[in-house]
Amino acid sequence: MKGRLPHLLMGGAVTLVLGLGVAWLSASPAWRNAPENMALLRLSFTHSGDRSASCRDRTAEELAKLPRNMRQTQVCDRRRPPIHVELEVDGALIYSAESAPSGIAGSGPSRLYERLLLPAGVHELTVRMRDNPASEAFDYEATREVELHPGQSFVIDFRKDSGLIFE
Amino acid sequence: MGVRTALKRGFDRVERPLDRLFGPDWNPMANLGTLSWLMFWIVTATGIYLFIFFDTGVVNAYQSVKWLSETHWLHAGLARSLHRYASDFLVLLMLVHMVREWAFDRYRGKRWFSWITGVPVIWFVYMSGITGYWLVWDELAQYVALTTTELLDALPFFAEPIARNFLTPASLSGRFFTLMVFLHIAIPLLLLLMMWIHIQRITAARTMPPRGLSVLTLAALVIVSFAMPAVLQGPADLARFPSTVGLDWFILGLYPVIDLVPPSVIWTGALLFTVLMFGLPWLPPRKDKAAAEVFLDFCNGCTRCEADCPYTAITMVPRSDGAPFPQEALVDPERCVACGICMGSCPSSTPFRRSGPLITGIDLPGRPLSKLREEVIAASADLAGPGRVMTLACEHGAAAAPEKGRVILPCVAMAPPSLFDFILSRDLADGVCIAGCAERECHNRVGAQWTKERIARTRDPLLRERVPRDRLLTLWAGPTEGARLDEALAGFSKDVAALEPMPGKRSLETDATGEEDPR
Ligand code: HEM
Ligand code: SF4
Ligand code: SF4
């Protein structure tokens, strides 16, 4: 490296300037991924459709053909029905769709993940879910008035034991 | 001018001033691959150090990063900044390296291997960076987690939407975070494996920049790390969503695009890009000239060609013809790009031979030594007047265009030193100019280096002592340096014209009469 001091200094200076540029670009310019004063609403369920509607009683004849230990009185489809979910925000229907069951045989839960940006402020949220195709109306329904703050993340989830959850 | 030629000349123009600032051998543009390796090792070393201070649980990860950046800023904070900036540099260097290899047409024909193995490297580099940003668990990490999982959920692979792990503070899963910590170690290890495979078809690939360049680069990175320590954003909070984040544009530069277009477009784009990258060496392919051929009658198994071939195309194998040497050279035609460097390295490659046809140990079928000898003699006929200079030119450098008195070669190292001797001692010219490509980097990797060492008599085959050095000019000039080439040639011609006549030179005709060389 003898006689290379000028290269060390000049090359070092160039690399330093480049490095400062790289360091700057590693945190700026900032990226705004949502407009100002918005809140994030996510509607996400993982819930199994109710297949009881597909069940029927076995006839006495059928039962007689089965081995004694397998004589269950009901047969049901292996496949689960889809669930139907609707979301209304301030009276307007924003989302309405069926979610198919998961798994190759369709025996797994339906899964749903929707994101939506709402302006901050007070909103009336209504969620409905039908998990049994035999039901006339929705099996679950809830309305909630919420005040969303800018930058808030709000979630509507469902749990079997507690029903629809707003959090 | 095609896109490639324009780009190549553009690189040459940008790189020339850097030659002056760094010196050609330390020019970072000629060291993009080696600098990428250096960055990888800096990232690895600082990463290991950071793990001493980092809490790998999601609850305390952020606090531990804050603590090591503030309380231990002098060493752990430095390591963190170095870790980040070296990663950013790795991305930058890799992308420029990739475009440059494309522009210099080093990715097709028999040279496809490095390109194809480079494509997965791109993916691994980005995945390493993304998992790294995840671990900080600040607002940026939260943004990365959300955007990444939502993008992944668009693929039909995951049973449960993985974005559900980031719904609410309560759903945040430590197991998932542990998986990220694991991936951030496993992916870089796979990257290292890919980087190693990437250079397997390169003879003695350089994986370290010249020492001085390493020193100045590291010093600059350390100064940058103290001047602008890596930013830590607010802590992640799943009850909120970070609508504005400071982005690392090197590693996360495509995230805004992910925000703006549907996942299907992103995945289709990524797939198309990858397929296109894999296909590029054949769009269109390059037909390399016929591979070098070994002539066993003239091969004594000296291994010089094996050592000099830049592309691991030659191996030494047990002798097959019963000659009393243990080995012979064997060329792998799948790897040989017909650069001719092996021909220049073979001790049998001497144009002086008078009896029998001119055959050497290893020869290019498309451009054998005998033909090269004829071309040199023909070029001599075009030279006239005092100070006749014959140019042996590299087809990638400033002298790539045909010209009277110029013989253009795939690489200047294809010319054995005895050819220079032949031209001068047989009075075919008064001076020989060896015009290679730009000094900072040889198109065939090592051609310039071998040529210099052969002339300096430090590498076989040595230039004979009797060749007057003042009649040899080595000139390294890139495609945009035509003016400098012309100037140097004119000056050299004047210089050799002013020299005393060369002692002992004789004409080819006297050769033909069979008289002994007087020396
Ligand atoms: C971390 C990223 C990378 C590293 C560390 C790296 C490193 C290297 C090194 C050390 C060489 C050999 C240089 C020499 O000694 O002559 C090389 C050559 C090459 N690389 Fe990379 N590389 C990287 C990424 C890529 C990528 C992404 C591509 C393209 C897709 C690529 C394409 C090539 C090509 C075409 C060559 C030339 C091979 C030849 O001369 O025949 N590299 N790289
Ligand atoms: S011509 Fe010779 S040196 Fe060049 S790639 Fe082929 S075998 Fe290797
Ligand atoms: S350089 Fe020539 S003599 Fe030596 S191994 Fe190669 S072909 Fe044989």
Side-chain angles (χ1 to χ4, degrees):
Chain A
M1 271 199 265
K2 249 174 83 194
R4 297 299 295 265
L5 194 61
H7 289 149
L8 277 174
L9 294 179
M10 290 189 300
V14 171
T15 311
L16 182 61
V17 171
L18 182 69
L20 291 171
V22 165
W24 187 75
L25 272 177
S26 90
S28 2
W31 165 246
R32 169 170 279 290
N33 61 82
E36 237 168 318
N37 285 324
M38 292 298 240
L40 173 68
L41 172 66
R42 283 180 290 169
L43 173 69
S44 178
F45 299 165
T46 162
H47 174 62
S48 302
D50 181 351
R51 54 188 165 197
S52 59
S54 71
C55 301
R56 64 174 177 82
D57 288 339
R58 286 197 161 106
T59 59
E61 237 168 276
E62 281 176 318
L63 281 174
K65 277 193 209 146
L66 290 168
R68 196 175 294 276
N69 64 339
M70 290 175 73
R71 284 184 189 160
Q72 272 166 331
T73 52
Q74 280 207 320
V75 275
C76 304
D77 281 354
R78 200 160 138 61
R79 188 172 190 83
R80 291 185 179 277
I83 63 170
H84 186 113
V85 178
E86 284 188 3
L87 169 67
E88 259 180 39
V89 178
D90 303 326
L93 188 63
I94 298 280
Y95 178 84
S96 166
E98 289 205 328
S99 309
S102 56
I104 298 166
S107 56
S110 296
R111 287 165 175 137
L112 163 71
Y113 181 98
E114 285 297 319
R115 55 145 55 218
L116 169 74
L117 287 174
L118 289 179
V122 179
H123 294 283
E124 190 184 76
L125 307 175
T126 303
V127 197
R128 305 185 190 96
M129 195 239 292
R130 177 167 51 226
D131 62 358
N132 188 333
S135 311
E136 297 272 297
F138 286 90
D139 300 289
Y140 302 87
E141 174 160 355
T143 298
R144 190 71 63 88
E145 197 177 86
V146 293
E147 191 185 347
L148 299 179
H149 310 291
Q152 183 178 352
S153 163
F154 192 80
V155 172
I156 305 174
D157 201 346
F158 177 85
R159 239 162 270 146
K160 222 181 177 120
D161 37 7
S162 29
L164 291 161
I165 307 169
F166 295 78
E167 53 192 345
Chain B
M1 202 191 308
V3 180
R4 191 196 313 281
T5 317
L7 203 56
K8 185 176 171 183
R9 293 176 69 90
F11 271 113
D12 197 42
R13 281 198 193 285
V14 172
E15 290 168 14
R16 278 162 55 189
L18 294 176
D19 273 347
R20 280 191 291 281
L21 293 170
F22 289 81
D25 53 341
W26 292 359
N27 191 323
M29 292 300 283
N31 279 286
L32 295 167
T34 54
L35 281 171
S36 301
W37 272 91
L38 177 68
M39 293 304 142
F40 181 85
W41 293 125
I42 294 177
V43 173
T44 306
T46 51
I48 292 171
Y49 191 68
L50 282 175
F51 256 93
I52 301 173
F53 300 86
F54 180 66
D55 189 312
T56 55
V58 67
V59 185
N60 296 322
Y62 179 82
Q63 281 311 322
S64 73
V65 176
K66 196 171 162 66
W67 169 73
L68 72 84
S69 310
E70 289 170 2
T71 313
H72 296 292
W73 62 274
L74 184 61
H75 53 105
L78 169 68
R80 174 164 171 251
S81 298
L82 281 175
H83 194 71
R84 173 176 297 193
Y85 298 147
S87 310
D88 290 332
F89 260 105
L90 178 58
V91 173
L92 181 66
L93 290 163
M94 171 183 77
L95 295 179
V96 180
H97 164 68
M98 177 182 92
V99 175
R100 192 172 181 273
E101 295 302 321
W102 182 84
F104 282 60
D105 206 358
R106 293 190 181 126
Y107 69 103
R108 301 190 281 175
K110 309 280 174 61
R111 289 172 86 165
W112 60 271
F113 184 84
S114 296
W115 182 269
I116 294 298
T117 53
V119 179
V121 164
I122 307 175
W123 279 95
F124 283 108
V125 165
Y126 278 109
M127 289 192 299
S128 304
I130 290 166
T131 50
Y133 270 112
W134 205 302
L135 300 191
V136 184
W137 208 234
D138 60 355
E139 286 176 334
L140 177 61
Q142 184 183 346
Y143 166 74
V144 169
L146 217 62
T147 312
T148 312
T149 50
E150 286 175 359
L151 182 67
L152 287 171
D153 282 336
L155 298 172
F157 301 145
F158 303 97
E160 172 93 12
I162 42 181
R164 279 184 60 85
N165 283 295
F166 304 99
L167 276 184
T168 60
S171 58
L172 183 62
S173 125
R175 280 214 337 263
F176 199 81
F177 196 77
T178 310
L179 173 69
M180 281 303 132
V181 176
F182 168 77
L183 287 180
H184 190 57
I185 299 168
I187 295 172
L189 281 176
L190 289 173
L191 170 62
L192 176 61
L193 175 69
M194 284 314 302
M195 281 163 54
W196 177 77
I197 295 174
H198 180 61
I199 50 172
Q200 285 313 299
R201 288 219 178 160
I202 305 263
T203 310
R206 293 185 306 126
T207 52
M208 260 298 151
R211 180 115 49 92
L213 180 59
S214 300
V215 168
L216 72 83
T217 307
L218 189 60
L221 277 178
V222 169
I223 296 174
V224 169
S225 297
F226 281 128
M228 297 173 71
V231 174
L232 181 63
Q233 307 188 18
D237 175 5
L238 291 179
R240 304 185 49 76
F241 83 103
S243 56
T244 306
V245 284
L247 264 201
D248 181 326
W249 291 89
F250 296 96
I251 291 169
L252 306 171
L254 286 176
Y255 273 60
V257 186
I258 301 177
D259 282 338
L260 296 175
V261 301
S264 55
V265 177
I266 297 287
W267 287 118
T268 313
L271 184 71
L272 284 181
F273 170 77
T274 309
V275 170
L276 176 73
M277 288 289 286
F278 276 127
L280 222 49
W282 293 275
L283 292 172
R286 185 187 61 206
K287 275 244 126 332
D288 286 315
K289 304 246 161 53
E293 239 179 281
V294 177
F295 294 89
L296 286 182
D297 287 350
F298 298 88
C299 168
N300 62 15
C302 71
T303 75
R304 280 178 204 165
C305 56
E306 183 199 29
D308 280 8
C309 172
Y311 306 110
T312 62
I314 301 178
T315 40
M316 302 307 297
V317 295
R319 203 74 200 184
S320 64
D321 63 350
F325 308 107
Q327 291 182 306
E328 66 189 42
L330 179 71
V331 175
D332 179 355
E334 288 304 314
R335 296 191 184 186
C336 171
V337 305
C339 66
I341 290 178
C342 50
M343 179 171 130
S345 74
C346 182
S348 303
S349 295
T350 158
F352 287 104
R353 183 142 16 91
R354 275 175 267 161
S355 54
L358 184 55
I359 302 172
T360 175
I362 188 160
D363 218 345
L364 288 188
R367 195 94 179 270
L369 180 63
S370 55
K371 181 142 182 283
L372 183 55
R373 184 180 190 269
E374 282 164 25
E375 286 175 38
V376 165
I377 294 168
S380 162
D382 289 335
L383 296 172
R388 296 165 305 152
V389 171
M390 186 177 307
T391 308
L392 300 177
C394 159
E395 67 184 11
H396 306 283
E403 181 83 42
K404 281 201 157 72
R406 189 179 284 180
V407 177
I408 300 165
L409 305 171
C411 178
V412 284
M414 173 174 169
S418 54
L419 187 68
F420 316 149
D421 186 9
F422 177 73
I423 295 168
L424 292 174
S425 65
R426 292 301 177 267
D427 200 23
L428 297 174
D430 303 312
V432 176
C433 171
I434 297 141
C437 43
E439 183 168 20
R440 67 189 88 94
E441 193 190 30
C442 166
H443 183 85
N444 284 302
R445 301 190 54 243
V446 286
Q449 189 187 343
W450 296 168
T451 304
K452 285 183 207 166
E453 292 178 9
R454 288 169 191 168
I455 293 175
R457 298 172 51 79
T458 56
R459 186 179 191 90
D460 276 323
L462 311 182
L463 179 68
R464 286 177 71 168
E465 298 242 42
R466 71 173 188 190
V467 179
R469 235 32 76 75
D470 46 6
R471 289 179 187 272
L472 274 189
L473 173 70
T474 44
L475 185 83
W476 311 105
T480 62
E481 292 182 279
R484 184 161 77 87
L485 171 82
D486 292 342
E487 203 180 310
L489 281 176
F492 180 54
S493 168
K494 255 215 230 111
D495 290 349
V496 291
L499 294 175
E500 295 286 310
M502 195 173 123
K505 67 178 179 189
R506 52 196 270 182
S507 70
L508 269 179
E509 289 74 49
T510 40
D511 255 4
T513 62
E515 279 172 52
E516 272 309 300
D517 195 318
R519 284 166 298 176

